Amino acid sequence: MESDTTVQPPKTALLVLGCPQVPVQTSIALYLVSRFKKAGITPIIAGNKAANTLLVVADPDRHYLGEVMDLDRAVAQIMEKKRDFDRCFVFIHNDAGISYAATMNAISKAKLYVLVYGEHQEDLVQQITFPCTKIAAKAVHNPMPLKKAIDEVAPWAA
Amino acid sequence: MGCVEALNYEILIRDASFKECRDYIRNHFPESIDVEPGFKIFDVHTIGVPPIAVGLDGDFVIFPYTKPCHGTFLLRVQDAEESARLRALKKGLK
């Protein structure tokens, strides 16, 4: 008898990195990658050269990281309908981060989460009016407030 | 995928917010068109909070260009073909 069960491809999560000048980004990105992999979700990193290099150098044997891609290329692939993702997490600590999150909201079918941190996180959160799940904490050097906020949402379980 | 470095651009504003760029375009140029994020201008996908304003001034196209570490730049590029394409699109939207 033939089975009617079909094998679903693994769920994917795109992590859109911002400027790496705020230290918690690299730490939280690796944390999320680890949590997603444990949950059976394939994480993909998209950032500029500096943000990506910080991660790649920290994980030379790729214990955590999988695919790492250029941010502009990720936008182009989504726009050209070559690729999309199930979840998208945008790191925001400045105005440019909001621009990237709004762009992902407009072009991707992914469920959107924004991770807002840094000195100006309260002002930035108020500027985000498009639909998304907001995870925010005043974290600059210490990643624990943002990690705690992420754990409360547990996006890997959603 | 496009590269803005291939364009002969002039920077009108640097390290601005998306709102500052939108307001500048609407207040300083005779024509503008609103586009959605991801819309391709030249060979570059625009990044920003919709609506993204793009200015037209003769053969010049004025558009925002966002980088994660440097905020949004407002660029001006002279290109008769691209300005004509955007004007035609604007007419079609009316």
Side-chain angles (χ1 to χ4, degrees):
Chain A
M1 195 173 81
E2 284 185 25
S3 168
D4 60 356
T5 57
T6 53
V7 178
Q8 296 292 323
K11 296 282 186 187
T12 55
L14 180 70
L15 276 63
V16 175
L17 303 180
C19 177
Q21 72 183 130
V22 180
V24 297
Q25 175 173 271
T26 303
S27 172
I28 291 296
L30 281 174
Y31 175 67
L32 280 174
V33 164
S34 172
R35 294 303 300 244
F36 287 137
K37 286 178 84 169
K38 281 180 184 166
I41 299 166
T42 303
I44 299 106
I45 298 282
N48 68 7
K49 191 173 180 183
N52 287 349
T53 304
L54 276 164
L55 284 167
V56 170
V57 168
D59 185 19
D61 297 323
R62 296 289 182 116
H63 292 298
Y64 295 94
L65 297 176
E67 183 179 358
V68 178
M69 67 192 302
D70 177 76
L71 180 52
D72 291 337
R73 190 167 145 252
V75 171
Q77 290 198 345
I78 296 169
M79 280 305 297
E80 291 160 10
K81 311 288 183 201
K82 291 179 179 169
R83 192 162 191 192
D84 208 346
F85 306 89
D86 298 300
R87 296 168 172 82
C88 178
F89 295 78
V90 183
F91 286 75
I92 298 174
H93 72 87
N94 60 13
D95 187 82
I98 295 177
S99 291
Y100 275 97
T103 300
M104 288 300 169
N105 177 61
I107 69 173
S108 172
K109 291 177 182 164
K111 179 172 169 52
L112 181 64
Y113 296 78
V114 294
L115 308 171
V116 191
Y117 55 98
E119 292 288 347
H120 309 292
Q121 59 95 11
E122 287 179 2
D123 292 340
L124 292 168
V125 165
Q126 287 178 1
Q127 294 176 47
I128 299 169
T129 55
F130 43 86
C132 61
T133 300
K134 297 175 190 174
I135 301 172
K138 191 171 183 177
V140 178
H141 296 96
N142 178 3
M144 294 312 287
L146 188 55
K147 176 188 176 293
K148 187 179 171 195
I150 291 169
D151 288 347
E152 285 171 4
V153 176
W156 43 84
Chain B
M1 187 175 61
C3 178
V4 77
E5 293 306 325
L7 300 171
N8 184 21
Y9 62 81
E10 176 191 357
I11 299 173
L12 300 183
I13 305 178
R14 63 177 68 235
D15 202 8
S17 71
F18 57 84
K19 189 175 181 307
E20 286 168 343
C21 288
R22 184 196 293 153
D23 292 346
Y24 189 92
I25 286 173
R26 287 180 176 168
N27 293 330
H28 287 79
F29 297 101
E31 296 174 76
S32 68
I33 178 173
D34 287 344
V35 301
E36 289 297 304
F39 180 83
K40 222 172 184 180
I41 298 176
F42 297 104
D43 206 18
V44 177
H45 293 285
T46 52
I47 302 295
V49 178
I52 299 172
V54 177
L56 296 166
D57 186 6
D59 286 348
F60 286 94
V61 179
I62 302 95
F63 63 101
Y65 180 70
T66 301
K67 299 293 286 179
C69 294
H70 302 288
T72 300
F73 295 82
L74 197 58
L75 304 182
R76 180 163 72 170
V77 177
Q78 187 170 20
D79 191 294
E81 198 174 314
E82 186 68 346
S83 57
R85 181 180 78 91
L86 292 168
R87 278 198 183 89
L89 189 68
K90 188 180 177 185
K91 269 188 183 172
L93 290 175
K94 281 183 179 173

